[in-house]
Amino acid sequence: GQQLNQSPQSMFIQEGEDVSMNCTSSSIFNTWLWYKQEPGEGPVLLIALYKAGELTSNGRLTAQFGITRKDSFLNISASIPSDVGIYFCAGQLVPGANNLFFGTGTRLTVIP
Amino acid sequence: EAGVTQSPTHLIKTRGQQATLRCSPISGHTSVYWYQQALGLGLQFLLWYDEGEERNRGNFPPRFSGRQFPNYSSELNVNALELEDSALYLCASSLADRDYQPQHFGDGTRLSIL
């Protein structure tokens, strides 16, 4: 299947710092999404991106759909302890196929 | 509004047995998706159902199957269980796809094969 390369694999940051993670693919994606997963729970949708170049914010989170449609990044500003979790990028390859391809995740640890 | 609900939360089986996992989508959602999340790995797409029909299938053997009922709930069946089937099985639902609709996930069923 399609490979989404997500980096970094893990991050340890101090509370209050900004965080940046990204996702790249060799294929063009129609849609990019970012999810957060905490232990014992399913992924929760953070941001959905539908157009190349689109920049969307959700509170302290900002994500962009790359111009080439082969990448996306997620920024978290002023991190807080509850930001801890695993962040996954996901992409929809073609319209109508609907199934998502997921990155391998970025595990975020915030040190108070 | 209730989210996607899955049952059971945990399921323990032995090799060769069969497992049935259940999912109720968000009210109004007609599409249901199943994903497998093996330990330390990302999510792998299994199956997509919409309006009672299987619309797409991931790269999994035929012993992974499912169905969608008239009330849009869904079952995932795994036959002839193998040790490597141990994973978190996640169900997601979305509105009908005119333009792409984002998928919302349940908390999963943890399937353990002994």
Side-chain angles (χ1 to χ4, degrees):
Chain A
Q2 290 299 318
Q3 190 82 13
L4 292 187
N5 301 305
Q6 190 171 345
S7 64
Q9 269 191 319
S10 63
M11 303 181 75
F12 291 80
I13 61 167
Q14 292 286 140
E15 183 177 357
E17 288 184 352
D18 296 343
V19 172
S20 185
M21 59 191 79
N22 66 71
C23 208
T24 61
S25 171
S26 58
S27 300
I28 291 174
F29 278 81
N30 194 55
T31 306
W32 284 95
L33 304 100
W34 286 91
Y35 288 86
K36 177 188 176 186
Q37 188 175 25
E38 298 185 42
E41 299 181 5
V44 173
L45 180 65
L46 300 173
I47 293 180
L49 302 158
Y50 300 104
K51 294 182 189 176
E54 181 181 352
L55 185 72
T56 298
S57 293
N58 178 8
R60 294 178 296 105
L61 278 61
T62 301
Q64 185 159 30
F65 192 144
I67 288 289
T68 64
R69 296 171 63 190
K70 293 183 179 181
D71 63 330
S72 177
F73 72 76
L74 175 70
N75 287 341
I76 305 173
S77 63
S79 58
I80 59 177
S82 62
D83 290 334
V84 164
I86 303 177
Y87 291 79
F88 290 99
C89 61
Q92 183 203 22
L93 196 54
V94 294
N98 270 30
N99 52 289
L100 294 175
F101 294 93
F102 279 80
T104 50
T106 295
R107 182 180 296 274
L108 178 63
T109 302
V110 179
I111 303 165
Chain B
E1 176 187 86
V4 176
T5 57
Q6 293 186 243
S7 64
T9 306
H10 293 91
L11 190 56
I12 300 174
K13 295 284 186 177
T14 57
R15 287 176 61 189
Q17 285 189 315
Q18 184 255 352
T20 299
L21 289 63
R22 297 180 176 82
C23 173
S24 292
I26 292 171
S27 177
H29 287 191
T30 61
S31 281
V32 171
Y33 313 81
W34 288 94
Y35 292 85
Q36 183 195 65
Q37 186 176 28
L39 190 63
L41 300 178
L43 285 74
Q44 302 292 322
F45 168 71
L46 266 166
L47 290 159
W48 168 32
Y49 291 94
D50 183 66
E51 296 287 353
E53 301 281 333
E54 181 181 303
R55 301 295 186 187
N56 199 5
R57 181 181 183 86
N59 189 26
F60 282 84
R63 57 191 187 80
F64 287 83
S65 65
R67 54 180 173 165
Q68 187 179 33
F69 299 98
N71 66 354
Y72 303 112
S73 67
S74 177
E75 272 183 4
L76 173 69
N77 295 296
V78 188
N79 293 322
L81 287 164
E82 301 178 3
L83 292 176
E84 53 263 34
D85 296 335
S86 293
L88 181 67
Y89 289 84
L90 290 158
C91 173
S93 73
S94 75
L95 293 167
D97 183 57
R98 293 176 185 83
D99 297 313
Y100 179 75
Q101 298 290 340
Q103 296 174 24
H104 299 269
F105 285 83
D107 288 336
T109 293
R110 172 83 50 196
L111 177 61
S112 299
I113 313 302
L114 303 180

